[in-house]
Amino acid sequence: MAWFSKKPRIAARQEPAEEQAPSRMQGLWAKCENCDEIIYRQELEKNIMVCPHCEHHHPWQARARLAGLLDSGSFEEFDKELEPQDPLGFSDSKKYKDRLKSTRKSLDENDAFISGVGRIDGTPVSVGCFVFEFMGGSMGSVVGEKVTRVFERAYELKYPALIFSASGGARMQEGIFSLMQMAKTSAAIARFRNGNKPYVSVLLHPTTGGVAASFAWLGDIILAEPKALIGFAGPRVIEQTIRQKLPEGFQRSEFLLEHGMIDAIVPRKEMRSRLSQLLRMVG
């Protein structure tokens, strides 16, 4: 006779969890990642996504940036119909075509770059801006084509070229098709320079990888926002490769300005007036 016997456990009945209605306060506040201050989101957006306490530059969406820097109503978008394909049938944890589909649906953007023409204080420009929220602003074949068309359009219209870069680099889901965009965009800049118009490159946080290694660094004038991370490989990768500790602030815009890699650091509130001044001088 057994000293004990096991009785089947009766699982406790679980009541269906009540769906909590979203709080009315949800999304009204934001926390500054630099000074940890809690900021009313509407106030942050009114201040063009710059913290009013510490001047930290938060991400600013591409369309809001273009609307804030270009003359009101002057922006005309081109090439919006271009959509990336899946030439390699790439799949990792998720199929590339499914990733594209879900990202396009959530952002209402076809890819990671917006291009067109506009004016800054009356000066016409061929302009482009990265959408970093779209797969880290990675450069695939469509992004490369749009960037190329910014320079081709500037050459044909005899406009200055202006690009705001924020990217993690080449889109590796497209393999060699992505890497070839570095050469393609650089060749477009070489042709554009025959027109004797300036190319102003504005480096945002972060600008890395194949974008930094190609057209982003090829500007006649290179500007950057404060404390932007700019470079080919990330600091951690470099430290592991050379097995040395990097200097404080390495690859930040302040470090690059000190070492002659960029021409100026321009706070976001001053960007429109600085671009207007530069375009009048050299455009």
Side-chain angles (χ1 to χ4, degrees), residues 266-280:
V266 183
R268 193 173 291 167
K269 294 178 181 178
E270 302 173 14
M271 185 65 73
R272 175 178 161 84
S273 60
R274 184 68 66 90
L275 288 173
S276 173
Q277 180 186 38
L278 288 171
L279 293 173
R280 285 199 307 268

Side-chain angles (χ1 to χ4, degrees), residues 16-93:
E18 294 183 3
E19 294 185 3
Q20 295 183 349
S23 171
R24 293 176 59 187
M25 304 299 288
Q26 186 176 353
L28 292 180
W29 301 91
K31 183 177 181 181
C32 177
E33 59 187 41
N34 184 61
C35 67
D36 293 334
E37 286 286 340
I38 304 299
I39 314 162
Y40 189 42
R41 181 168 292 278
Q42 193 173 15
E43 179 186 358
L44 185 61
E45 292 174 353
K46 186 178 179 180
N47 205 39
I48 57 176
M49 301 305 291
V50 176
C51 176
H53 303 283
C54 68
E55 297 296 316
H56 177 72
H57 286 50
H58 292 260
W60 197 17
Q61 291 186 347
R63 293 193 180 274
R65 184 182 299 274
L66 292 173
L69 296 178
L70 300 177
D71 294 353
S72 178
S74 70
F75 180 64
E76 181 182 359
E77 186 174 359
F78 289 92
D79 312 318
K80 188 176 182 179
E81 73 284 356
L82 297 181
E83 295 184 359
Q85 303 300 313
D86 184 13
L88 303 180
F90 190 91
S91 178
D92 45 29
S93 59

Side-chain angles (χ1 to χ4, degrees), residues 125-126 150-151 154-155 158-163 165 185-186 188-203 214-224 260-264 275 278-279 281-283:
V125 291
S126 180
V150 167
F151 295 109
Y155 179 76
K158 302 188 186 308
Y159 285 179
L162 171 63
I163 290 184
S165 297
T185 54
S186 300
I189 293 174
R191 180 173 181 266
F192 163 75
R193 289 213 165 101
N194 293 327
N196 297 319
K197 289 292 182 178
Y199 161 38
V200 181
S201 178
V202 182
L203 310 181
S214 56
F215 63 88
W217 278 118
L218 294 177
D220 299 301
I221 301 171
I222 303 177
L223 309 178
M261 298 293 289
I262 60 178
D263 296 305
L275 288 173
L278 288 171
L279 293 173
M281 290 172 59
V282 299

Side-chain angles (χ1 to χ4, degrees), residues 12 18 22 56 81 97 105 107 110-111 119 123 141 147 152-153 179 181 189 210 216 218 229 240 250 255 262 279 282:
E18 294 183 3
H56 177 72
E81 73 284 356
K97 61 181 180 180
K105 184 177 179 181
L107 295 177
N110 282 338
D111 211 330
R119 293 179 179 271
T123 303
S141 54
V147 171
E152 290 179 342
R153 195 173 294 117
L179 296 176
Q181 305 311 309
I189 293 174
L218 294 177
L229 177 66
Q240 291 174 348
F250 180 75
F255 184 91
I262 60 178
L279 293 173
V282 299

Side-chain angles (χ1 to χ4, degrees), residues 95-134:
K95 290 182 179 179
Y96 178 45
K97 61 181 180 180
D98 294 339
R99 197 181 299 275
L100 287 172
K101 183 178 179 180
S102 61
T103 307
R104 282 198 294 258
K105 184 177 179 181
S106 62
L107 295 177
D108 195 26
E109 298 286 355
N110 282 338
D111 211 330
F113 193 78
I114 299 170
S115 60
V117 295
R119 293 179 179 271
I120 297 180
D121 276 348
T123 303
V125 291
S126 180
V127 62
C129 185
F130 273 82
V131 182
F132 188 76
E133 298 82 5
F134 197 108

Side-chain angles (χ1 to χ4, degrees), residues 134-156:
F134 197 108
M135 298 183 68
S138 53
M139 179 172 64
S141 54
V142 167
V143 171
E145 176 64 19
K146 283 189 171 186
V147 171
T148 299
R149 292 189 186 188
V150 167
F151 295 109
E152 290 179 342
R153 195 173 294 117
Y155 179 76
E156 293 168 1

